Structure formats: C-alpha cells, structure tokens
Amino acid sequence: MSKISIILNVYDPTPWQRHMTMACLATIRKFTDQPYEIIVVDNEPKFPIRDEYKVLNLDKENVITNTKNQTAYYSYNQGAAQAHGDYLVFMQNDVFCHERTINKLVEYLEGYDVAYPQQIPITRDQVNQLRVNEIAPFGWRDAGMLAITKEAFKKTGGWDDRFNNLLGEAAFYKRIDNAGLSWTCQTTAIITHIMAGNNLMKDKELYAKQMDKDAKLLEEYK
C-alpha cells in the first residue's frame, strides 16, 4: 500500500492553540490506518508539543521548524518537498479527524486527482449541486483539509505562498483546474473544523488588510 504524507501547518502563539494542535495530532493517530507519515511544519514555536502519554509519536526528522511565522501555503510547500508518500494530505491544526477520515478521503484519489472532506453529512445530490455552483468551481471549498496525489501536486506548481491563509485555497483550485486535474468532494470522510481558529481573526483591522491584499492577488487567477 502506498504511503500517505499528512502535512500539518501549525502556528500557535497561545497555549490553548498549542493544545488544539496536540488534540489534532491525537485524532490523526487514533483514527488513521497505517501506512502514513506526519510532517509538522511548526511556525515560530513558543510552546512545546507535549507527549507525556506517548501517543503522538512525532518523528523529529519530520518536524520542520520555522523561526518566524510563514503563510500556511509556504508551510504546505515545505512539507510537500519533504514528503515520501504517493498521496499528500494538507491539513490545518484546527481540524479533528474521525474514524478513518484520512483513509476514506485518500480512497477517492483512485478516481480523482484531488478530494476534500465535508464537515457535515450531505447527500450525493447535494455534492453534485456544489460542483455546478458558480462559486465552487473557483474555490471556497473546505480550507481545513485537502488530499491530492503527489503527481497531481507537481502539475499544479504547488501552493501560491503569497496568500495569507485567506483566499489561497481558491487560487490553488484554479491551479488545479488550469492543470486539467479532476476534483471531488465526498460524503464519507467527515471532519470537525474549528474554522478561523487562529490568531489573525482576533485582529479585525489586520484581517481586513490581509483580505484586501489576497483579493487583489486572486484577480490574477480570474
């Protein structure tokens, strides 16, 4: 069986966010079937990832440490460059897996190049409606997790790391479309996503500035 590379973007400026990362990692370990590897890209770490109960089992060689906070997309590209798996799963640290979430998601890569999970159960008819929605083909899928084959990822050219974890998913899906790749959402791999569980959302003025900047960048993709 081909290995899955789970690439986790982490930025924890507060203790409670570090706790969220540890909980995120614990759900991966509990609910994901081997073989897989976890690559943690830790941005400007201020607090240790504690593992007193030896359940996280991080490989030090698979922990990339940045001395300053990078964009999520820069981190994703870093992790992808180090990945050994045939399947890449990009994940934010405010996402919690359920039973075989990642395995179920990767199973869709047998028929598609890209797959992303749902946060609530929906029907296949609802999935099809999402695919023809005017917004969906240009992005705005779930930002918390995305699975893609390594071969397909190379064709996209990677994530555009100029974006600030706001509209970068829309830009990446445009790259997916431009590369002629197929994508799907699905009805079996469900996640719990604490959306916007990051420090940026606390500063509304900064958030507005970043959104304006990213919106201008997104114009390049239209």
Side-chain angles (χ1 to χ4, degrees):
M1 184 182 297
S2 299
K3 180 184 285 188
I4 302 168
S5 293
I6 303 166
I7 300 163
L8 184 67
N9 169 63
V10 175
Y11 173 56
D12 297 331
T14 66
W16 69 263
Q17 285 168 303
R18 198 51 142 189
H19 295 162
M20 184 167 60
T21 291
M22 292 185 284
C24 169
L25 286 165
T27 66
I28 296 173
R29 289 300 193 199
K30 181 173 178 60
F31 296 121
T32 308
D33 294 343
Q34 293 283 358
Y36 66 88
E37 64 179 352
I38 299 176
I39 300 173
V40 175
V41 185
D42 201 357
N43 287 287
E44 198 178 350
K46 299 176 190 256
F47 311 98
I49 296 178
R50 304 199 313 271
D51 192 18
E52 292 94 337
Y53 298 101
K54 307 301 179 185
V55 295
L56 305 183
N57 298 321
L58 293 181
D59 182 346
K60 291 183 179 180
E61 294 183 358
N62 276 354
V63 177
I64 302 171
T65 302
N66 292 321
T67 56
K68 66 177 182 178
N69 184 31
Q70 303 289 348
T71 68
Y73 314 111
Y74 183 95
S75 300
Y76 280 165
N77 288 334
Q78 281 183 295
Q82 187 167 310
H84 297 96
D86 295 325
Y87 306 110
L88 308 180
V89 176
F90 296 99
M91 185 172 177
Q92 295 287 353
N93 65 325
D94 60 349
V95 167
F96 302 136
C97 297
H98 300 287
E99 193 70 41
R100 300 190 73 250
T101 291
I102 291 175
N103 302 104
K104 291 176 182 177
L105 189 63
V106 168
E107 287 172 3
Y108 278 82
L109 298 183
E110 297 299 322
Y112 295 89
D113 300 304
V114 183
Y116 68 96
Q118 285 296 324
Q119 298 177 74
I120 56 174
I122 63 174
T123 66
R124 175 52 58 181
D125 286 342
Q126 289 172 311
V127 169
N128 291 333
Q129 290 175 12
L130 284 174
R131 290 184 59 80
V132 299
N133 183 278
E134 290 182 0
I135 295 177
F138 193 65
W140 298 99
R141 290 85 167 181
D142 181 82
M145 182 185 289
L146 177 147
I148 184 171
T149 66
K150 179 180 281 187
E151 181 181 355
F153 182 73
K154 291 178 180 177
K155 292 179 180 179
T156 66
W159 297 82
D160 188 336
D161 59 19
R162 296 175 298 168
F163 287 86
N164 289 276
N165 199 18
L166 295 172
L167 300 179
E169 285 81 18
F172 187 62
Y173 272 97
K174 189 62 176 177
R175 290 188 175 194
I176 288 170
D177 292 340
N178 289 343
L181 303 174
S182 61
W183 59 266
T184 185
C185 56
Q186 44 58 59
T187 60
T188 59
I190 309 298
I191 59 172
T192 297
H193 185 191
I194 306 175
M195 300 185 73
N198 59 62
N199 206 44
L200 178 63
M201 296 299 293
K202 294 181 179 181
D203 189 331
K204 293 184 179 180
E205 184 177 350
L206 176 60
Y207 177 82
K209 289 180 180 178
Q210 297 288 21
M211 181 64 82
D212 288 342
K213 175 178 176 291
D214 281 12
K216 291 177 182 178
L217 285 174
L218 198 60
E219 290 295 322
E220 298 179 14
Y221 287 87
K222 293 183 178 180

